[in-house]
Amino acid sequence: ALLFFNISQFVSAYRLLQFYKIHQPGISYRFNLRLYYKGMFYNLFLPGGIGGDAYKIIALKNDDNTYKQLTTATLLDRVNGLVVLLLIISLLTAFVAIPGFEKLLSLLPYFVLIGLPCYLLIIYFYFKPFSKILPITVFLSLLVQGFQLLSFYCIVYSLQIDAGSFVQYAVLFFVSSIIAALPFSIGGIGTREL
């Protein structure tokens, strides 16, 4: 689980690098990976994922870029991951019913069908420099979530949880990934568990 989790973070850092390279082509993967893990550390005690992102933006700011450019790149990386997460959740919910959430989850595929093209069009028309990296970043987002799922599976397997419940737990895991990124608590503590 630890191995798969870290592979997912290596891929996620590489995805973020694709966004940063639009305005800062000289940034290296090694530097960005260190920055990424430092950002994860700051996320432990700052609200949601905002603290680590703010740290990365401040650390990358130089004469060749602006805070607006770096914030846009960071935000688009987050949205890219969110779109893929919603796509995965909507696919998984086709195979499982979660009591109490049937109505909401039945609407999710429609949101994805409408939201995905809207996302692509917004990027194309309003953030044109980033449109050329969308295919690779969407693919990298799928890889990130795939390795996250493998990590999650290893944990569930080690706890000897019934394999028949795996898809239900996977849906909850991915939904909790979205909730934990929202700034509801310090470092997202308790939100994923809730």
Side-chain angles (χ1 to χ4, degrees):
L2 184 64
L3 174 67
F4 288 135
F5 173 76
N6 279 285
I7 291 171
S8 78
Q9 297 312 297
F10 295 162
V11 175
S12 188
Y14 185 73
R15 181 190 69 199
L16 179 60
L17 181 64
Q18 305 314 302
F19 285 96
Y20 284 155
K21 281 194 167 200
I22 296 295
H23 295 298
Q24 193 169 351
I27 186 173
S28 73
Y29 174 71
R30 185 176 174 162
F31 174 79
N32 187 61
L33 184 63
R34 283 198 325 262
L35 194 62
Y36 193 87
Y37 272 92
K38 285 181 186 177
M40 286 175 58
F41 170 72
Y42 285 118
N43 285 342
L44 293 174
F45 54 86
L46 295 171
I50 297 169
D53 289 343
Y55 170 75
K56 288 181 266 194
I57 291 166
I58 292 167
L60 286 171
K61 173 68 180 90
N62 61 31
D63 294 336
D64 298 330
N65 56 44
T66 65
Y67 285 119
K68 182 180 177 184
Q69 290 171 329
L70 293 168
T71 302
T72 300
T74 305
L75 183 61
L76 289 177
D77 175 67
R78 288 277 182 167
V79 172
N80 188 289
L82 176 64
V83 167
V84 169
L85 263 176
L86 290 173
L87 179 64
I88 291 170
I89 292 168
S90 68
L91 291 173
L92 287 175
T93 55
F95 301 103
V96 68
I98 298 178
F101 293 94
E102 293 92 348
K103 288 183 181 178
L104 176 65
L105 294 177
S106 68
L107 295 174
L108 192 57
Y110 298 108
F111 286 127
V112 171
L113 285 173
I114 294 167
L116 188 58
C118 288
Y119 167 69
L120 297 173
L121 289 171
I122 288 169
I123 298 295
Y124 183 77
F125 286 111
Y126 295 103
F127 304 101
K128 203 162 186 86
F130 296 98
S131 63
K132 62 184 176 185
I133 62 167
L134 274 183
I136 186 68
T137 58
V138 168
F139 174 72
L140 291 170
S141 291
L142 287 168
L143 278 180
V144 168
Q145 297 310 322
F147 284 115
Q148 288 270 332
L149 189 62
L150 285 171
S151 177
F152 171 74
Y153 176 76
C154 289
I155 293 168
V156 169
Y157 181 78
S158 71
L159 294 172
Q160 300 175 350
I161 292 173
D162 177 30
S165 303
F166 177 72
V167 178
Q168 287 179 311
Y169 285 117
V171 170
L172 291 173
F173 170 75
F174 285 126
V175 169
S176 72
S177 297
I178 295 169
I179 293 169
L182 300 173
F184 291 135
S185 69
I186 301 298
I189 294 171
T191 54
R192 173 168 273 176
E193 292 75 14
L194 177 65

